[in-house]
Amino acid sequence: MNIAPPLLFLGVRVEQFADDWTSARVSLRVRRWNSNHNGAAPGWSLFAMTDPFFGMMAYGQLGSGYRVWNTTAEIEFLAPGRGRVRSTMLMPRALVNDIRRATADGAKSITEHEAEIVDSNGDLIARARQQLYVRKAVHRN
């Protein structure tokens, strides 16, 4: 993941990705080359810190028999992000089991997910929200 071009070029690093797909922790060290004119993390970098991970964790637990994608996403900027900023995202097994049950008959599931981005002091600098759409895959011959 750390060499995926969108994350690599923004400076986003995956610090931990749980083997069971239930959590991911990422960080961004704000430097001169990846900061904005105020010396803070640009919004697109903060957004990229959370963008792919909820879908990846859901898909990793559900498997290839499902289609998973973000339908909406938003980020609320609360304070400038300087130094090293981090986010931990969770996809509990219980939630994925609920998604599996909701989609068992072919129906769709839409779930809301939120991640907080904090600075090295633990102060909240941004809150990202995503909506995930999940449905069983339809295989055609």
Side-chain angles (χ1 to χ4, degrees):
M1 289 283 316
N2 283 325
I3 61 169
L7 300 179
L8 175 66
F9 294 122
L10 292 173
V12 175
R13 297 290 174 260
V14 178
E15 294 182 346
Q16 179 269 333
F17 206 105
D19 291 339
D20 65 356
W21 301 89
T22 57
S23 67
R25 185 177 62 237
V26 299
S27 69
L28 169 67
R29 184 170 175 196
V30 182
R31 300 172 190 252
R32 186 174 179 168
W33 61 268
N34 68 353
S35 63
N36 63 21
H37 63 282
N38 292 313
W44 60 78
S45 295
L46 295 175
F47 186 77
M49 288 179 68
T50 64
D51 182 48
F53 296 101
F54 289 112
M56 289 174 60
M57 289 186 290
Y59 185 80
Q61 290 183 58
L62 289 165
S64 62
Y66 292 82
R67 297 293 176 247
V68 179
W69 63 87
N70 293 346
T71 57
T72 64
E74 66 182 23
I75 189 164
E76 177 184 12
F77 302 107
L78 303 168
R82 294 190 171 92
R84 184 176 298 275
V85 298
R86 288 190 165 87
S87 183
T88 299
M89 290 146 286
L90 304 173
M91 182 63 64
R93 286 198 176 281
L95 175 60
V96 174
N97 289 336
D98 289 345
I99 292 170
R100 195 175 273 118
R101 279 190 293 276
T103 58
D105 65 355
K108 68 182 177 185
S109 167
I110 296 179
T111 53
E112 303 281 335
H113 304 272
E114 184 173 293
E116 293 184 339
I117 302 171
V118 299
D119 65 15
S120 57
N121 296 322
D123 294 331
L124 183 62
I125 62 163
R127 188 175 291 119
R129 294 178 194 88
Q130 293 181 12
Q131 195 175 69
L132 278 186
Y133 173 102
V134 178
R135 188 181 295 249
K136 280 188 150 187
V138 176
H139 299 286
R140 299 171 201 250
N141 293 332

